[in-house]
Amino acid sequence: MRRSLLAALVLLLPTTAFAQQPPRLQIANVRVGYPGSYVEQEGSRPHLFRAGAWTPVFVDIQAGREGLKGNEGRIDVIVETPDPDDAQTAYTVTVPLRELGPNGQFTVFTFAKPASMTSELKVQLRYGDQIISQTPPTMNQHTGVDATQVLYLAVGSRLPAFRLTMNRNDPDPNNPVNPNGPNANLADDRQHLMFADAVHQLPQRWYGYDGLDLVILATGKRDFITRLADNDEENQRRREALAEWVLRGGNLVVCAGRNHDALNAMAEIETLLPVKIVKAEPITKLRAEWQGDGAPVGPLPDAPLDVAVFERRPGRELAVLLREFTLDDKGKPGRELIVQGSAGLGRVTVVGFDLDQRPFTDWKNQADFWGQLKRRSWQYGAVFHKVNPDNQGQPFQPWMMDEYSHPQLQSQLYSYLENFEEVPVISFGWVALFIFIYILVVGPLDYFILKKLVKRLELTWITFPTVVLLVSAVAYFAAYHIKGNDLRIRKVDLVDLDLTTANPQMVGNTWFTLFSPRIQHYTIGVEPAPGTWAPAPRDGTDKAPNVVVSWLGRPDTDRYGNRTRGQSLFRRAYDYEAAAVGLRGVPIQVWSTKSFSSTWLSPVNPDQPLFAATLRHTPDTPDVVGQITWLPGQTDPAIAPELKEAYLIYNNRAVKVPLTAGTPRNVNTASDREAMQISTWFNDIPQPINQNNQQYYGRYNRYAQNFNNLDHTMRALLFFQEQLKVNANERNSNLRLLDQTVRLDRRDEAMLVVRLAAKKGDAEAVNTDLTAPSRLWLGALPGSGVTRPRLDGAMQQDTFVRVYIPVRK
């Protein structure tokens, strides 16, 4: 009986071992970024990605000769790429295996955040605990573009005429003295057009659009737009991802003509439009003119062109970019052809006809049309074609990142976060002195004592290691005394609070730096402050805030991967949590710093509003009157966070508002004597200085040791295009989505910029204070039923709030 049982077990062993064998898969190809569009002068572009931004990664996976049965479980697709400190980051997606024939393929859509243009990117396939395939070294090299480049994405079409606008000179016809002035379209190779003309190429996470400046959604191809409008789960996530990117500050152009019905079926996109599209009517011999400068367009193709009929949405302000050039008997202007409006922090431009279909594509002037539309669809002037007054009116290139004379705003923010004033930095002079003394002791002094006094040189085998150990101990305890044993944190929050919509929401950006007192691996998460700034979570009834956490770098030193790296014998990858909602196992060396960024989207807490305002136009002047009340979310004003300053910005003017918690304040920009132009507001702060009392903007003082002028950096980020008129030397390559210059001259909206007083002290107390719009998690990640660990150490919190307030007529 025993022999029979043993024999049966032996027969089962091969079957069991065979069942545990992983499937035979290999990585056939890896494509980083979106495919580049064809340009006649350069041939076919590769896939492009922007350094320092999230980018899609397409992984083609191939089965072996046996194929796949489709019931072999799931695999993890792991994308590794180094961060600015040369530590490996790992982004993992888990996908089910599908049935494939011999040598069959399928594609996995995942993401990465390369720190530099030449970051090595490695992909692995993991089945259980086994790595079953990884990219060979020849497949790990990918070339991207730096953060100063401009990236356009054409969705649904490759837009051949749009490409022609990127490599041509269009002089300014209204400026004969300087035809290459700020309104010229100068040829430049720093603009790149990419495309996604298949639905599966669109990301299902909003940060798949992170590195883009403008997305153009063409609806002319019926098959594409109807498939995107399908109500299956994957397509819904694709539509939600595009919509969320716009709400966070993205620029979207929607071309809607004959297939407007399919566009209207996509509620996620349709609600972003500043108008409703009622129908489309065929029009021949359409003539139009650009609004603002009256530049004519036309005649457009004589063949019938399906033109959408717009219906304005109540309460939504919009700008008309292109209007039909006709007047009826009553003097009424022609129909609106291209309109633009805000959606969250972003902008949506609606073109009332198809730009990727005939007869428009047969029009000989379509390249000029695209050039005009491109410049009017986003803050084009913040990147291109400013005139350098110091160079005889010749245009300079604001995208160039001169390491000395053109500081990056993100680098200024980075320097502020790494400036732990309570942790003294030992100057190189003192270090050199101690090295000299150390060499003197272990060399000549040791020799002199043993040779002349003790007269036994063989004792150096004892004195030498003793001196080394003693000096090492003194150095360690001295560093321990100076650096301390406390975790230290510096954190900056910027919250955009939109009160102009029926359902107010917040877009938050959080930047922070950890100073670690020991070698440690950190788990890091961020969440909007529940119960104060954001709604308190309820069991299963509320959607979790959409949070993304990642590293923070310097764009001007990371783009080529030439930043000085820390050296370590042991390097381990730290992991992104699913959907990048947090980080796990981040290694930080003893007495070292590491910086991070997070962005989040959350509804406003309806039970405890933060601001209330009633503003209206004055009858005859471009000013605003009304009342603003700051509500800190608590019934007791005594515990309200202190405001350092608050400015109401309207009609390109800033008025200081003395807000006190719970106290309504009357506002009248017409009579306020302290009202100042925005250009004056930029300069109404102390000039930043470094330790030698030299201005921060000096040529060789880019990273001042004690740079602390955060107010200048944040104001420049909030309205960067306007800031260029004051200081054209600064650059904003990585944080363009924060720029809301386009909203400065809107009549239906005012902005309140609030700076809360900095909070400093015990980390747990500061982290839970009302001044902190976000909560920092260390040691665990936010989730249902998870308690946030206590935050030990010391912390400094800086908070800025920008509130969008409707102005009624």
Side-chain angles (χ1 to χ4, degrees):
M1 181 66 179
R2 292 181 178 178
R3 293 182 179 179
S4 301
L5 181 60
L6 182 59
L9 291 174
V10 171
L11 290 175
L12 286 175
L13 284 176
T15 305
T16 305
F18 177 78
Q20 294 177 348
Q21 289 296 319
R24 294 187 178 181
L25 296 172
Q26 65 178 1
I27 300 172
N29 193 17
V30 175
R31 293 157 289 155
V32 184
Y34 294 99
S37 190
Y38 179 83
V39 177
E40 287 77 5
Q41 292 87 340
E42 302 179 23
S44 179
R45 290 186 184 272
H47 283 237
L48 298 177
F49 68 88
R50 173 180 287 170
W54 286 97
T55 184
V57 178
F58 301 88
V59 182
D60 297 329
I61 300 175
Q62 183 175 354
R65 296 180 180 179
E66 298 82 6
L68 290 179
K69 297 179 181 179
N71 58 354
E72 301 187 52
R74 308 169 72 88
I75 61 168
D76 295 327
V77 182
I78 307 168
V79 179
E80 291 189 357
T81 187
D83 70 4
D85 298 315
D86 212 22
Q88 292 292 324
T89 67
Y91 187 100
T92 303
V93 296
T94 302
V95 296
L97 293 176
R98 62 190 67 181
E99 185 172 350
L100 291 175
N103 300 318
Q105 287 190 6
F106 67 98
T107 301
V108 175
F109 197 127
T110 182
F111 300 94
K113 188 179 178 182
S116 71
M117 297 165 55
T118 57
S119 290
E120 182 180 278
L121 187 142
K122 181 171 67 175
V123 182
Q124 296 179 329
L125 304 183
R126 183 175 61 197
Y127 183 82
D129 295 330
Q130 303 180 57
I131 300 298
I132 60 176
S133 179
Q134 62 183 13
T135 51
T138 56
M139 198 182 295
N140 293 344
Q141 299 297 328
H142 306 273
T143 302
V145 298
D146 63 55
T148 65
Q149 309 278 317
V150 175
L151 298 181
Y152 307 102
L153 179 66
V155 176
S157 173
R158 301 193 182 188
L159 302 179
F162 184 91
R163 297 190 301 262
L164 302 177
T165 68
M166 297 186 295
N167 293 304
R168 54 180 291 172
N169 282 331
D170 290 334
D172 183 0
N174 299 318
N175 192 349
V177 177
N178 183 17
N180 292 330
N183 293 318
N185 180 21
L186 304 183
D188 185 76
D189 61 357
R190 290 173 175 83
Q191 302 180 67
H192 308 280
L193 176 65
M194 304 176 294
F195 67 87
D197 57 354
V199 173
H200 70 267
Q201 294 175 319
L202 298 180
Q204 298 181 31
R205 302 285 181 185
W206 73 266
Y207 46 85
Y209 300 97
D210 183 36
L212 303 177
D213 291 289
L214 181 67
V215 173
I216 305 164
L217 175 60
T219 64
K221 295 182 179 180
R222 182 89 184 165
D223 292 344
F224 175 87
I225 196 66
T226 53
R227 183 177 178 186
L228 182 59
D230 285 344
N231 286 326
D232 62 272
E233 183 178 354
E234 290 188 351
N235 282 327
Q236 181 179 353
R237 288 200 297 263
R238 293 184 177 104
R239 299 191 299 267
E240 290 174 347
L242 178 57
E244 185 173 347
W245 174 74
V246 174
L247 294 176
R248 290 173 178 266
N251 299 295
L252 175 66
V253 173
V254 179
C255 307
R258 65 188 67 171
N259 295 321
H260 65 279
D261 59 325
L263 176 64
N264 289 336
M266 298 187 292
E268 300 85 355
I269 306 299
E270 195 272 340
T271 54
L272 299 177
L273 308 185
V275 293
K276 294 182 179 180
I277 302 177
V278 179
K279 59 181 178 179
E281 298 177 342
I283 297 179
T284 57
K285 296 184 178 180
L286 180 64
R287 288 169 173 78
E289 64 178 356
W290 293 103
Q291 301 299 289
D293 54 15
V297 175
L300 290 169
D302 291 339
L305 184 66
D306 291 325
V307 179
V309 177
F310 298 149
E311 179 183 305
R312 295 201 176 202
R313 297 182 187 271
R316 292 279 293 270
E317 185 85 1
L318 59 80
V320 180
L321 302 187
L322 185 68
R323 187 185 293 275
E324 185 181 6
F325 187 65
T326 60
L327 294 173
D328 59 17
D329 296 338
K330 298 181 181 179
K332 184 178 180 180
R335 74 174 66 193
E336 299 163 349
L337 301 176
I338 302 180
V339 296
Q340 185 179 90
S342 298
L345 303 188
R347 278 198 291 176
V348 179
T349 304
V350 183
V351 181
F353 45 91
D354 295 319
L355 303 182
D356 63 330
Q357 301 293 318
R358 302 178 67 180
F360 182 83
T361 53
D362 296 331
W363 187 34
K364 64 178 181 180
N365 294 326
Q366 56 181 308
D368 297 330
F369 182 93
W370 272 115
Q372 288 280 356
L373 179 61
K374 179 176 63 176
R375 286 194 291 270
R376 297 167 190 262
S377 299
W378 67 292
Q379 296 177 117
Y380 190 87
V383 184
F384 293 110
H385 318 322
K386 296 295 179 182
V387 175
N388 186 351
D390 299 327
N391 193 21
Q392 293 77 44
Q394 295 299 314
F396 72 88
Q397 291 75 32
W399 55 80
M400 294 180 63
M401 294 188 292
D402 188 304
E403 291 199 0
Y404 298 105
S405 59
H406 299 307
Q408 284 280 338
L409 294 180
Q410 182 168 308
S411 295
Q412 295 178 21
L413 177 62
Y414 188 100
S415 297
Y416 176 83
L417 291 170
E418 288 205 328
N419 179 25
F420 291 89
E421 300 168 351
E422 63 275 19
V423 181
V425 178
I426 306 301
S427 67
F428 177 76
W430 284 105
V431 174
L433 176 62
F434 286 122
I435 292 176
F436 174 76
I437 295 175
Y438 173 71
I439 295 174
L440 188 67
V441 170
V442 299
L445 185 60
D446 182 68
Y447 175 81
F448 177 80
I449 293 175
L450 296 180
K451 176 71 174 178
K452 300 297 184 181
L453 301 181
V454 182
K455 297 182 180 181
R456 294 183 61 182
L457 286 177
E458 64 273 14
L459 293 179
T460 191
W461 292 101
I462 299 175
T463 58
F464 180 78
T466 300
V467 171
V468 171
L469 291 175
L470 182 61
V471 171
S472 299
V474 170
Y476 173 79
F477 287 106
Y480 181 86
H481 176 73
I482 294 173
K483 303 290 186 179
N485 193 35
D486 293 329
L487 173 70
R488 300 184 184 276
I489 306 168
R490 293 200 78 167
K491 180 165 162 279
V492 176
D493 277 281
L494 169 63
V495 178
D496 282 285
L497 175 59
D498 190 356
L499 301 181
T500 63
T501 61
N503 299 311
Q505 64 178 3
M506 295 183 295
V507 177
N509 285 273
T510 303
W511 303 278
F512 57 98
T513 295
L514 304 182
F515 174 85
S516 179
R518 62 189 65 88
I519 300 176
Q520 186 168 330
H521 290 76
Y522 291 86
T523 296
I524 301 172
V526 174
E527 68 171 344
T532 53
W533 293 72
R538 292 174 291 184
D539 295 338
T541 59
D542 288 335
K543 184 179 179 181
N546 198 338
V547 179
V548 174
V549 183
S550 183
W551 50 262
L552 178 69
R554 287 189 175 121
D556 42 9
T557 57
D558 295 336
R559 56 176 175 154
Y560 292 124
N562 59 357
R563 178 179 170 187
T564 302
R565 313 289 182 180
Q567 298 298 320
S568 175
L569 294 177
F570 305 99
R571 290 206 177 274
R572 295 179 57 189
Y574 60 91
D575 298 320
Y576 287 102
E577 184 69 358
V581 299
L583 301 171
R584 291 189 182 273
V586 181
I588 305 180
Q589 301 300 314
V590 60
W591 299 318
S592 297
T593 62
K594 194 171 184 67
S595 299
F596 305 89
S597 67
S598 175
T599 178
W600 42 271
L601 181 68
S602 171
V604 176
N605 188 356
D607 300 324
Q608 296 183 352
L610 297 172
F611 292 89
T614 303
L615 301 179
R616 66 184 187 276
H617 293 298
T618 54
D620 302 318
T621 62
D623 292 291
V624 65
V625 297
Q627 198 174 76
I628 298 177
T629 306
W630 177 45
L631 305 170
Q634 296 289 334
T635 57
D636 185 3
I639 62 174
E642 179 184 354
L643 265 74
K644 181 179 179 181
E645 59 187 13
Y647 288 89
L648 181 68
I649 297 178
Y650 183 75
N651 192 32
N652 283 294
R653 300 170 69 204
V655 177
K656 195 167 187 177
V657 182
L659 292 180
T660 304
T663 303
R665 292 293 182 182
N666 294 324
V667 177
N668 188 337
T669 59
S671 61
D672 199 307
R673 296 181 179 180
E674 296 184 2
M676 65 186 81
Q677 295 296 322
I678 291 297
S679 58
T680 306
W681 180 69
F682 282 125
N683 294 324
D684 190 36
I685 49 179
Q687 289 297 314
I689 58 175
N690 70 2
Q691 57 189 357
N692 297 321
N693 291 325
Q694 296 173 326
Q695 286 195 2
Y696 174 82
Y697 299 113
R699 177 173 292 273
Y700 301 106
N701 301 321
R702 183 176 44 143
Y703 299 129
Q705 176 64 44
N706 61 340
F707 170 72
N708 57 8
N709 198 336
L710 183 62
D711 294 87
H712 163 79
T713 302
M714 298 306 295
R715 290 187 186 187
L717 285 173
L718 296 181
F719 308 107
F720 177 67
Q721 189 171 3
E722 189 69 21
Q723 159 69 11
L724 280 176
K725 300 177 182 178
V726 180
N727 182 358
N729 288 325
E730 291 184 306
R731 303 292 176 264
N732 181 22
S733 296
N734 288 57
L735 300 173
R736 295 174 192 164
L737 294 186
L738 301 179
D739 183 10
Q740 293 293 320
T741 301
V742 70
R743 304 173 83 152
L744 284 176
D745 56 356
R746 292 184 54 172
R747 293 277 291 165
D748 69 322
E749 183 180 274
M751 283 179 280
L752 184 70
V753 177
V754 177
R755 166 78 142 104
L756 300 185
K759 190 78 173 180
K760 188 176 182 179
D762 177 74
E764 180 64 18
V766 174
N767 196 38
T768 56
D769 192 81
L770 283 174
T771 57
S774 63
R775 296 280 186 268
L776 180 61
W777 287 56
L778 293 182
L781 296 178
S784 178
V786 179
T787 302
R788 182 180 58 81
R790 175 181 172 80
L791 202 60
D792 296 322
M795 181 175 178
Q796 177 172 329
Q797 171 73 43
D798 293 278
T799 301
F800 295 80
V801 184
R802 179 169 51 182
V803 189
Y804 305 89
I805 304 173
V807 178
R808 308 304 180 191
K809 294 183 180 179

